[in-house]
Amino acid sequence: MISRRLLLGSGALAAVGAGTALAQANGGVVTAVDVHPTDYPTVEAVRWMGQEIERETGGRISFRLYPSGQLGSETDTVNLARYGVIDIARVYLGAVNNMFPATRPLALPYTFRDEAHMRNVCDGAIGREILTSFQRRGLVGLAFYDSGLRSMYNVRRPIVTPADMRGLKVRVPRADIFMEMLDAMGANATPIPFGEVFTGLQTHLIDAAENNWATYQSTRQYEVARFWSETKHCCAPEALLMSKARLDAFSPADRELILAKATESVAVMRGLWDTKQTTAKQTVLDAGIAANEVDIDAFKRAVEPMRRRYLSQPDIAAALRRIDDHD
């Protein structure tokens, strides 16, 4: 567990914390963080949200964004928000499964049929219930953003079946589900921070990673990991989380405005996301990476035992039944 003293140990975090404390007093500046670069769809969507709120409040409330992992890993930023050091954190659900068990059904392999299925589930009652569950640990779930269908990419060879993954050190988020999933596929799950993946691939600390087309391109990891294999093993979304104490400090009208603009930002994000995925895929293909289809059924069979272990938990089994029944 990260202590508040450790979180405030650097000058940058202390400055952000001081700014947030001031904002709580006068309602002025909302701080938002993301590990992705400034032009990434999730960052752009939060920027749009801030601009809309600033416009509707006549500048009384404004947003200050810290993209590109300036304030640490996703797990770090979740804790920063919980402790009130920053206000909003955009995080991938796979990175916070251990901290927030209600998110686990969404992160299990092959939970969703496709991105449309994931969006419909997140927009409905299941998504609302999971967003509400964040309040148990001092956060408010504002919205779900997309993270696309995740696949494998590596520095060594094409992957067609799980047998091709034997011996590969694959970077995963520090979450039990992801480590168990990669172990089931026959790889060596290696949890390292997101910001260290490029260097890890370059130095062969790791052989592979898994993510979506947009991240593969925007981080330039395709320059060192030249083999992309379409496992499409996970479609877990990302969550936009806000400090509950910070949101509660606003007037009822301001709270309503923030919640409404967060909801509206989802459509903005999805439009940007669909475009980014298409252009990112074309960029890396044009750069000569080797992309291949895989034996999806073989991968599903490989992870089925670990899925059954999770299905033995009644709450997860019930959630997955509801997801399966959803359009």
Side-chain angles (χ1 to χ4, degrees):
M1 182 62 67
I2 299 175
S3 70
R4 186 181 181 89
R5 183 172 63 181
L6 177 58
L7 291 172
L8 292 173
S10 74
L13 291 182
V16 173
T20 302
L22 177 61
Q24 288 176 346
N26 61 28
V29 180
V30 174
T31 53
V33 302
D34 200 313
V35 298
H36 290 302
T38 189
D39 61 347
Y40 200 82
T42 55
V43 181
E44 292 278 21
V46 174
R47 181 177 290 114
W48 175 90
M49 175 183 165
Q51 291 169 344
E52 285 289 293
I53 292 171
E54 184 171 359
R55 179 182 60 80
E56 294 209 12
T57 61
R60 181 170 51 81
I61 300 173
S62 62
F63 274 44
R64 181 178 298 138
L65 273 58
Y66 294 87
S68 303
Q70 293 179 53
L71 299 184
S73 70
E74 291 182 316
T75 304
D76 290 338
T77 59
V78 168
N79 282 313
L80 288 169
R82 289 180 59 219
Y83 297 143
V85 180
I86 55 125
D87 300 321
I88 293 176
R90 194 285 315 150
V91 297
Y92 175 56
L93 282 196
V96 295
N97 287 160
N98 291 356
M99 193 182 302
F100 301 99
T103 67
R104 289 175 182 169
L106 304 188
L108 283 168
Y110 301 107
T111 289
F112 298 106
R113 294 185 287 274
D114 49 33
E115 286 184 277
H117 183 209
M118 181 275 293
R119 288 175 173 180
N120 289 338
V121 168
C122 290
D123 289 346
I126 297 170
R128 289 191 296 272
E129 290 165 16
I130 293 173
L131 288 176
T132 299
S133 72
F134 287 104
Q135 294 193 28
R136 298 170 192 163
R137 301 196 69 177
L139 295 166
V140 175
L142 297 176
F144 282 119
Y145 284 169
D146 285 18
S147 189
L149 285 162
R150 296 168 76 97
S151 289
M152 299 290 170
Y153 48 94
N154 78 95
V155 302
R156 298 195 180 279
R157 55 182 176 261
I159 293 168
V160 179
T161 71
D164 298 318
M165 295 187 63
R166 288 176 189 152
L168 291 181
K169 294 174 289 184
V170 184
R171 182 269 170 181
V172 292
R174 193 174 293 279
D176 293 343
I177 282 177
F178 274 75
M179 289 188 280
E180 292 172 23
M181 176 181 67
L182 266 296
D183 288 343
M185 291 178 179
N188 298 323
T190 308
I192 65 172
F194 174 79
E196 298 176 14
V197 176
F198 183 94
T199 302
L201 290 166
Q202 193 174 44
T203 62
H204 299 287
L205 173 67
I206 54 174
D207 303 302
E210 51 81 48
N211 222 305
N212 55 61
W213 286 107
T215 301
Y216 182 51
Q217 182 269 326
S218 68
T219 58
R220 308 189 73 87
Q221 291 170 21
Y222 70 94
E223 294 179 359
V224 287
R226 305 290 290 173
F227 298 96
W228 171 280
S229 301
E230 289 273 288
T231 51
K232 298 179 180 178
H233 54 272
C234 187
C235 195
E238 307 194 333
L240 191 65
L241 305 175
M242 186 168 187
S243 162
K244 186 176 185 302
R246 177 69 171 107
L247 185 63
D248 288 347
F250 284 104
S251 69
D254 286 343
R255 285 199 298 273
E256 184 177 337
L257 175 64
I258 291 168
L259 293 170
K261 292 303 175 184
T263 300
E264 291 175 26
S265 77
V266 174
V268 174
M269 188 273 165
R270 287 176 179 172
L272 294 168
W273 180 259
D274 291 342
T275 299
K276 177 66 174 176
Q277 286 282 81
T278 300
T279 58
K281 180 177 181 179
Q282 193 59 53
T283 295
V284 300
L285 291 176
D286 289 346
I289 69 106
N292 66 275
E293 299 292 326
V294 308
D295 185 342
I296 293 289
D297 288 339
F299 277 91
K300 288 182 177 179
R301 288 194 298 270
V303 300
E304 187 56 29
M306 64 85 62
R307 279 178 54 88
R308 283 201 300 269
R309 287 197 298 275
Y310 280 93
L311 283 166
S312 68
Q313 302 175 40
D315 55 339
I316 291 180
L320 287 176
R321 283 195 298 270
R322 293 173 66 194
I323 292 170
D324 287 342
D325 291 342
H326 210 289
D327 294 335

